[in-house]
Amino acid sequence: CGIVQGQFRIKKEVSEAELNSLQTEFEELSKRKEVQKAIEKGALLSELFVLSKRYKDASNTCIQMDNLIYPYDRQNGTTSFSLRFLVAKERLRLYTQELNFQRSKTQFDQMNYCMRYMEDKNSYTDDALLVKAQYYQAFGMTEKSLESYEMLLQRCLAEKNDSDREDCFKSMIAYA
């Protein structure tokens, strides 16, 4: 279950010092062109900005992540679907919180597109299911939201390790 793997960081309140520290780490990783680590840190930062209702900062972080990914892809002659997935997921989270249906729908489609082409999509599935459930719920598609939560629940139930399963359930409840 991706929740257990640390894909979700359930936190309701974030201190200004924590945000500043994460932003500094993100900027340092970006300057050193450690793209994978920078995008992961940027995704966390964006998520926490959204939780703190600092939507402009979350949007700016996503723009900075794009500015890392595109040159990285050109340089390597590939498309980094897993990195693009993280940015689309955070933009989807942002626009869903802002109740901006059109932009949310665009990012929803982008996230699903990236999922189709990712090599290790299984490690991101739980994250995608949770964000999809939030999207569906925010825009009145309750049945689809419940389907996403049910799929996530089934993935948690399939966990072999009791500790992982318990952590998964706790994370789902905390996020709901």
Side-chain angles (χ1 to χ4, degrees), residues 12-156:
K12 297 294 180 189
E13 294 181 26
V14 183
S15 72
E16 191 67 28
E18 184 178 4
L19 286 171
N20 289 338
S21 174
L22 282 170
Q23 190 157 20
T24 299
E25 288 178 54
F26 170 64
E27 290 169 1
E28 287 174 3
L29 290 166
S30 297
K31 286 177 188 172
R32 292 194 307 260
K33 303 292 185 206
E34 294 182 42
V35 176
Q36 178 75 35
K37 289 179 183 177
I39 299 303
E40 289 170 1
K41 192 66 68 175
L44 172 59
L45 181 61
S46 177
E47 179 179 352
L48 295 177
F49 276 144
V50 169
L51 285 172
S52 301
K53 300 189 183 325
R54 291 177 52 179
Y55 302 135
K56 185 175 181 177
D57 290 324
S59 179
N60 288 338
T61 301
C62 289
I63 291 168
Q64 288 175 289
M65 288 189 287
D66 281 338
N67 290 336
L68 288 172
I69 294 171
Y70 294 122
Y72 177 78
D73 283 353
R74 273 194 306 272
Q75 180 182 359
N76 294 319
T78 62
T79 302
S80 304
F81 289 108
S82 61
L83 299 178
R84 291 174 188 242
F85 165 84
L86 291 173
V87 178
K89 175 184 61 85
E90 291 312 318
R91 278 201 171 104
L92 175 57
R93 186 186 316 273
L94 167 64
Y95 297 141
T96 298
Q97 285 297 312
E98 291 181 327
L99 296 176
N100 184 328
F101 177 75
Q102 194 57 45
R103 286 186 171 187
S104 293
K105 175 72 172 113
T106 300
Q107 294 308 310
F108 181 86
D109 293 343
Q110 181 70 25
M111 186 180 76
N112 286 326
Y113 175 81
C114 290
M115 284 287 291
R116 279 196 302 270
Y117 295 100
M118 287 170 40
E119 291 177 22
D120 184 24
K121 68 181 95 190
N122 197 43
S123 65
Y124 295 97
T125 299
D126 299 330
D127 223 359
L129 285 170
L130 186 58
V131 174
K132 284 179 181 183
Q134 293 169 328
Y135 164 80
Y136 289 135
Q137 188 173 359
F139 296 109
M141 297 175 261
T142 307
E143 192 170 307
K144 287 185 176 189
S145 177
L146 290 173
E147 287 173 13
S148 293
Y149 280 122
E150 184 177 334
M151 289 176 11
L152 184 56
L153 178 62
Q154 292 303 318
R155 288 178 56 81
C156 287

